[in-house]
Each structure stands twice: as C-alpha cells, then as structure tokens.
C-alpha cells in the first residue's frame, strides 16, 4: 500500500457524537456524571462500548480483571503482534466526559476509519478499555492496566475491598464483566494512549498536540507531626510545640524546593487536619499529605531525601515528633523515543504544532510501558480543568488528536510512506 | 481590730475536700467530668454550692442570668459596698476540677475562716459563681459576668441558643436558677478572683503566686483564602493559586511576628480546613482561625493591622482572594494597681515569692473590672495543663493561694495592720 492511501481523517461527527452518548451514561437526576468502576453505571458504559465494538465487527475479549478488548485481525496479519490503543471509561465522582473515554473511543474510531477506507494493516489493531483507572472505589488506581502488565496479581486485585465495602471480584461478576482471559494475553507490539492533558500547558500555549515523552514519578506520603496541645493565651511562644506551625513550615519548604527545581519538581499539600482543631488551642497534631512529582527518578529521590532531612531538622527545632508513611510510589516512566518521534511527525504532516512534554498525571500507559514500547498523545484541556464537569476540550482539538492517532497507527502498522 | 488578729490561714482540709467533692459532680460512667452551663450536671454543682453557702449562714441571691451570690453582711457593715470574690463552677467537656471552682470555693472558705475567727470586716464580703464562663454550650463565654457588668443585655443572653438547640433562659428556669435579682444589683467595692494559671509560667519558674496586673486583649478572626483547585501533577508551580500554601505563609508570618514581639504577642492558628482536601488536588479553599493576643491595646491593633497588610500582599503575590471575619474581640484589661500591690504584699508577708504577670486566658474578672477595681491571683498549673482531666495544682499551692486571698480580703475590708 502506498502512503497516499493512508486515510487522513477519522469520521469526526461519529467520534464526537459517541463521546456525547457515552457521556450521558451515568448522569444522575442532578445531571452529575459518575461511573465508578464495576457499578451499574460502569456496566451501562461498558455495554455501550461493547455494542460499538461488535458493530465494527471486532472480536471482543474480556480478561479476568474486566479489561475489555476489541481486536481487528485480518487473515494476513493474524500472526503479528497487535498495535494496542486505549485508555479507560470509568470516571471519578462528578466527572467530565473526556477523561479516558476520548482515548478509547478514538482508538475504536481509528479502527473504523481504517476499515472503511479498506486499509490493510500489517498488524492487528486492538482497542482496550482498562478497568478502574480512577481508583475512586477500589485502590490502587490504574488497576486494570497494572494487573495486565503483571504489576499486581489478579487475585489480589479481585479481592480489593471498595470504599463501599464491596469486593471488586464479586462486583465484576455481578455486572457480567468477570472475563476468562488471563490478563496479558495480548502482547502488544506498541501501545499508544490518546488523552486530554488534564493540565493547562497546551491550552495556555495554544499548542494542539502534546507528544508525551515521559510521565512523572509520583511519591505520596502522609506526614504526622505531634506537638503538645497548649492554651493559645497562656503559653509563651518559646514554650510551644506547635504541630500546626511545623506543618506550615513543611508546606512553605516544599514550595521553595519546587521553585528551585527549574519547573521539574511539583509538590502539593492537598489535605491537612489539626487536632484538637480548636481556635484557642495550640495544635497537638497535624496530619497532612505530600504529593511530590518529578520526571527523573534520581531527582525524585533527591526531593524525597531533602524532605526527610528537613523533617529531621524541623523536629529538633520545633521540639515535635514527625512520622511519615509512604502511601504511593511510582517511578517515572520514559516513553518510547521512536513512537514519540512518530507522533511529532504525524502532527507535523497535518500542519499541527506539537510540543514534547511530560505527563503530570498517571495513566494506563505508564503500566503498559512495562510490557511494550509505549507513548501518549495529549490534546489541550481548556484551563487545565479535569475531574470536574467543567472539563472541556474543543471539538477541533479532539478531532486533531484523533487524526494524529490515525496517522501514528497507520505508520506503526508497518507501512512505509 | 489589730493586725495580729487577722487570721493567717484558711482551713486547708475543708477547702481541699470541697474541691474534691464538687469535682465528683458531673462525672460520667467513664469518669469524664462535664458540667456545661445550665445542664442537670451544672444544677447538681450549683445545688452543692448553695448548700455550703447556706451552711455558712450567708444570704443567697440569684440574678436573672443565674449568677449565684453568697453574701456575708453584719449590722455594722451593711451600708458599705462589699468586697466580691468569685469565679465560676461550670466546666468544659472532659474538664479538670480546679478551673473556676477553686476561686469560688476559696472565696467561700475565706468567708468561713473570717467568721470562725470572729473577724469583723468593715465591709460585706460576697462570693459569686458566674453563669456560663466557659461558653461551650452557649456563646459568648464569660456570659454571666459580662451581663452582670452591663456588657450584654439579660434578654439577649437568655435568648442564646445552645449548641444542642436549647435556649439558655428556658434551661435556667428548668434547673431552677432563673433568679429575680437584676444583674449588677451589688456594686462591689472591689473584685478579686483567685484562679489556677492555666499556663506554664509559674510552674516552670517555681513561683507559687502570680499577682495578675493585666489581661491580654484577644482578637479572633476566621480567614478564608480562595485559590483554584488544580491537578497536583499537571499544573506547573507558576500556574498555581494554592490556597493551602497561602495559609501556610500566614501561619509562619504570625510566628515571625510573635517572635519579634519580645514575648508580648502570642499568635495561634488552631483550626484549619482545606477544600477539596484531596491528596492530588491543589487546595481551592483554606479556612483557618487566628487567635492574636497582646496585653496592650495599641500593640494588639498593630498586630491586627500588620496581619491585614500582609494578607493584602499575599493575595497579590499568590493570586488568591482572602476574606476575614472577626469572631471575637476583647480589649486588654488593666487591673487595679493598688489591689495588685496588696496581693504582692500579702504573698510577701507569708514568705511566698510572687510574680507580676499577665493573664493569657479570659476570666470573669475581665468583665467585672468594668464596674469596680479588680485584680486576680494565680497559682501554678503543673505543666500549664488546663481544660483537661490532667489539670493539676499541688495542694500546697492551692492552700497558699487561698491564704493570700484571705490576707488580701482582710486588708481590703479596711483594717490597717
């Protein structure tokens, strides 16, 4: 097949209307969209996806952790490793309609387009929807792709207890998505995930395509500072052991580190709690979380060490005791340089400016990168808003991203232009 | 009467056993002591106090806000203004046994001692137990003495709605302590309140007597900082509007001011709350309280102004909006210099080291100071602990404080030694 035969555009009307249609599933009476993993709402979303996959004539497979696959194989390519496209269709509580769904439906749209254009791919193409990417109901997040990549046993994952006391395995059985395939049954040749950025960079810069070359490492800690509860009026400053003040010092320290990191480290204290939490009592206890991210493992470790050393000094100076607990730790992921190049070229061919960038958020791609060459394509999120009903990406950007995916897939199926 | 006739010591065994007895009232099955204002437990404490007042042969009066008075008048002094001694017997939740009760029972003990020694005071002596000093069930605190001093109308106070939805006036009627006397019906010649320090200074220094010369002004504010909720991974540091970081900067700023105040200003952030309070979301909202105290009104105003200016700068730098709400504002109170001198002399005569000091906590004395010369005597609180079952003052210190009170009262009734 000649390069000129590569289709240039997906069916934008179909992609956009399906995004809307899937987005209407799981709306409650107040128009709040929630499809938590393995709930009735998730089942409704899955059923819709399966019906579209079947309508495209793809082979449907479900693995034991409930990951859904639609696979397009031809007689000519059936012994080749597939290109896998995908993301997830579960949502957070009160979600937007793009996060995850955009990648899954674009993957399916690319396959549909190639079929309709009678394109003959040199490899099978599969679209995947991974279970429980959001991790709201069951921990950890990105669970389906983590299990698929061998990072968590199926049994442990199925035994996960939800925030509502349910067991994931039972819930998957209940909604009819406890499949029989062993996770990992398809060994992809490559995995490409198209996703909204969920951050402000592309939108702010007016760049339509992000060629995502790596994904930040994430370190979550819970820090507990124990001081002494004392009367706010009667305790001289120098006799205080103020857990709240010590917490405030940590927060400002982390910002100083982030400022000094040349845009590489981000640090966030998103939760905090004082005890006894009374206006006129010096806090005896301050508990808060630290979210540290850096795309370089060595740098991330340096940040963790710097924080640990600072906490030691602080405990001595403020005469408080400090304990830390690691909640989450993912090393940074470097995506496949060749695929990132292909993404840049695909954007360029379509006249779309692109930018090499780091993913600040976690994605299924970071798990699948353990088992095959992987990369991601980002499109702008207006104002960087995500996990919120205000999450929005312009239709032109959605279509542009899907067209880039189409071009990348065409290229990676082995056809030289 | 000659100075040599002034009795030197109260009946320590009686005072200490009554403190214990009153302290057993309001214990629940877990031995937690709680006598919130105008509850059944408060009534039981009041009934016990009244029985002791009657046993001393004093005239009992209850005013409309439920303040209890035991008045010792003789034929010779009945046209003179009384010396008033007192404090409160309501408690916080899970309280110690000394706060307030020590002052009331010591006042009664001083009267009993003077009676038993056939002392003839030149003035009547009254002991007062003011309603709802703690302010846990009904706001504001120090309510009974505030009403008594004319700072709050009886009607407004009686209409107070409790944290449990009750109305104070109805509850006082229910427990039989809605009296008929108009608050302020006794115009005291002087008011002296003996109290545990509720702070660490006397205990740490090993000084048994505090001659309290003033009481800090108190400014409570609630500060609300509104930023923007953003993803902790995808939002570059320079694009953040982090309400939590801004709150942390305020906390460290306040400590810097306190450190620079030469021990005069104390500042406490005792409560805090972030929204949405998620590990991986930059806080959109931080709400916290500021408790600022200084014994000098001008200095307290300077602290308030400095904070207000800092908040303006901070709002501009961090691109957040900041609003403040004044919750409580009491000006500092300067006690009567002559009475403070009398307290120092009384301690000295008994061979007790004393220290002029500031009260960091609020007390009924700060209200009564509006209507008559007033001062306070402090005794050490071990480790400064109060509002806690661990609240403790050594028996020897309790007795020493009551003996100083006895000497001060003897002096103030007009007898020259």
């Amino acid at each position: 097949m000649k390069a000129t035969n590569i289709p240039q555009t997906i069916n934008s009307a179909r992609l956009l209307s399906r995004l809307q249609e899937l987005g209407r599933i799981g709306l409650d009476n107040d128009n709040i969209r929630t499809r938590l993993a393995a709930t009735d709402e998730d089942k409704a979303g899955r059923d819709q996806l399966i019906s579209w996959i079947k309508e495209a004539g793809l082979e449907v497979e479900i693995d034991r952790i409930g990951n859904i696959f639609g696979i397009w194989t031809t007689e000519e390519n059936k012994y080749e490793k597939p290109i896998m496209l995908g993301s997830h269709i579960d949502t957070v509580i009160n979600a937007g309609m793009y996060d995850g769904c955009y990648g899954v439906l674009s993957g399916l749209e690319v396959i549909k387009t190639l079929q309709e254009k009678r394109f003959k791919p040199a490899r099978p193409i599969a679209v995947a929807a991974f279970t429980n990417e959001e991790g709201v109901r069951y921990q950890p997040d990105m669970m389906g792709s983590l299990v698929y990549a061998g990072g968590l046993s199926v049994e442990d994952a199925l035994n996960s207890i939800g925030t509502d006391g349910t067991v994931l395995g039972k819930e998957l059985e209940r909604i009819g998505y406890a499949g029989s395939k062993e996770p990992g049954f398809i060994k992809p040749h490559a995995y490409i995930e198209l996703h909204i950025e969920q951050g402000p960079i592309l939108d702010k810069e007016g760049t339509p395509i992000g060629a995502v070359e790596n994904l930040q490492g994430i370190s979550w800690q819970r820090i507990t500072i124990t001081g002494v509860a004392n009367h706010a009026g009667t305790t001289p400053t120098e006799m205080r052991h103020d857990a709240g003040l010590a917490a405030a010092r940590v927060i400002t320290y982390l910002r100083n580190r982030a400022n000094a990191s040349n845009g590489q480290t981000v640090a966030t204290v998103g939760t905090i709690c004082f005890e006894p939490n009374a206006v006129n009592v010096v806090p005896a206890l301050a508990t808060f979380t630290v979210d540290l991210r850096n795309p370089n493992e060595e740098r991330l470790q340096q940040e963790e060490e710097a924080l640990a050393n600072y906490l030691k000094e602080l405990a001595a100076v403020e005469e408080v005791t400090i304990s830390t607990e690691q909640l989450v730790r993912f090393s940074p992921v470097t995506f496949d340089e060749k695929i990132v190049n292909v993404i840049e070229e695909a954007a360029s061919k379509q006249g779309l400016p692109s930018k090499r960038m780091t993913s600040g958020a976690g994605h299924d791609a970071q798990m699948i990168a353990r088992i095959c060459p992987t990369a991601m394509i980002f499109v702008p999120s207006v104002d960087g808003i995500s996990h919120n009903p205000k999450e929005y990406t312009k239709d032109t950007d959605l279509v542009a991203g899907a067209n880039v995916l189409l071009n990348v897939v065409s290229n990676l199926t082995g056809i030289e232009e």
Side-chain angles (χ1 to χ4, degrees), chain A:
Chain A
M1 190 177 204
K2 295 276 172 60
T4 47
N5 294 68
I6 293 176
Q8 294 299 309
T9 62
I10 50 92
N11 181 332
S12 55
R14 181 169 56 203
L15 172 63
L16 296 173
S17 76
R18 284 183 172 183
L19 262 173
Q20 296 285 335
E21 198 167 337
L22 183 54
R24 281 192 291 274
I25 297 175
L27 288 178
D28 69 9
N29 292 336
D30 298 322
N31 258 359
I32 288 174
R33 177 183 300 104
T34 306
R35 298 195 306 271
L36 300 186
T39 57
D40 291 343
E41 293 74 24
D42 187 25
K43 172 183 164 53
R46 287 165 173 266
D47 289 352
Q48 177 60 71
L49 176 63
I50 297 269
S51 83
W52 285 328
I53 292 174
K54 285 185 172 164
E55 182 252 12
L58 310 190
E59 180 189 348
V60 176
E61 298 286 3
I62 317 284
D63 70 12
R64 291 176 59 207
I65 193 64
N67 297 322
I68 296 172
F69 302 89
I71 309 163
W72 179 32
T73 312
T74 64
E75 269 308 308
E76 294 75 24
N77 69 22
K78 67 183 179 185
Y79 299 113
E80 301 297 326
K81 283 170 138 188
I83 301 293
M84 189 180 284
L85 314 175
S87 194
H88 62 95
I89 63 167
D90 68 313
T91 75
V92 296
I93 295 165
N94 197 15
M97 69 168 71
Y98 304 100
D99 181 358
C101 302
Y102 172 53
V104 173
L105 295 183
S106 294
L108 181 57
E109 180 56 40
V110 163
I111 293 174
K112 285 278 288 182
T113 299
L114 293 174
Q115 287 176 330
E116 287 166 3
K117 303 286 182 182
R118 302 187 184 283
F119 185 80
K120 300 284 184 196
R123 300 182 171 281
I125 306 174
V127 59
F130 293 105
T131 294
N132 188 34
E133 194 271 347
E134 296 292 1
V136 174
R137 193 180 185 202
Y138 303 98
Q139 293 284 328
D141 54 357
M142 298 170 279
M143 185 189 277
S145 49
L146 180 62
V147 169
Y148 194 84
L152 174 67
S153 79
V154 191
E155 288 68 27
D156 285 352
L158 292 175
N159 287 331
S160 299
I161 307 295
T163 51
D164 52 0
T166 56
V167 178
L168 175 56
K170 300 279 179 202
E171 284 290 279
L172 283 174
E173 280 174 28
R174 187 182 67 76
I175 66 167
Y177 282 88
S180 56
K181 287 285 177 184
E182 207 57 40
F185 72 100
I186 300 171
K187 311 286 180 212
H189 174 70
Y191 175 78
I192 303 122
E193 183 164 352
L194 172 63
H195 208 283
I196 57 169
E197 182 195 337
Q198 302 184 281
I201 298 169
L202 293 176
D203 180 51
K204 188 152 183 183
E205 296 186 358
T207 304
I209 298 294
V212 185
E213 58 185 349
N214 56 13
L215 189 142
Q216 290 181 323
I218 301 179
S219 170
W220 284 6
Q221 294 177 63
R222 179 179 293 119
I223 299 184
T224 303
I225 302 183
T226 306
V228 178
N230 271 313
H231 191 294
T234 63
T235 314
T237 303
E238 69 275 13
M239 292 191 195
R240 297 183 177 208
H241 310 273
D242 186 332
L245 173 76
R249 293 213 191 285
V250 177
I251 295 172
T252 57
Y253 173 81
L254 288 169
R255 171 55 70 96
N256 293 345
R257 292 284 306 185
N259 284 343
S261 75
N262 207 9
Q264 292 297 295
T265 299
V266 287
T268 307
V269 173
T271 79
I272 198 165
C273 157
F274 285 177
E275 289 181 23
N277 207 43
V279 179
N280 61 346
V281 181
V282 175
L285 201 76
T287 308
F288 57 101
T289 50
V290 173
D291 174 316
L292 270 176
R293 306 194 192 198
N294 191 295
N296 178 288
E297 174 62 25
E298 200 181 327
R299 292 288 303 275
L300 183 57
Q301 285 177 17
Q302 284 168 6
E303 294 298 350
E304 291 173 319
E305 283 163 24
L307 175 58
N309 290 333
Y310 180 72
L311 294 178
K312 267 183 215 156
E313 283 171 36
L314 183 68
V317 170
E318 298 294 340
E319 297 179 44
V320 293
T321 59
I322 304 183
S323 66
T324 63
E325 179 192 354
Q326 186 91 52
L327 300 177
V328 165
R329 183 64 165 79
F330 286 121
S331 290
V333 173
T334 302
F335 289 137
D336 187 79
E337 176 67 17
K338 285 184 196 161
I339 304 181
V340 177
N341 285 336
V342 170
I343 293 168
E344 283 186 317
E345 287 160 18
S348 172
K349 269 185 276 183
Q350 305 198 16
L352 297 165
S354 71
K355 176 190 173 74
R356 286 205 169 216
M357 63 191 300
T358 294
S359 172
H363 293 289
D364 291 310
Q366 84 189 72
M367 301 307 171
I368 303 303
R370 299 178 182 202
I371 57 170
C372 70
T374 294
M376 296 188 72
I377 305 165
F378 276 176
V379 295
S381 293
V382 172
D383 291 334
I385 296 169
S386 184
H387 286 186
N388 188 303
K390 290 185 195 151
E391 178 182 282
Y392 179 62
T393 297
K394 281 180 272 184
D395 287 352
T396 49
D397 288 333
L398 292 169
V399 171
N403 284 338
V404 169
L405 182 66
L406 173 69
N407 196 285
V408 169
V409 170
S410 307
N411 184 313
L412 291 179
T413 52
I415 313 292
E416 291 295 325
E417 289 189 60

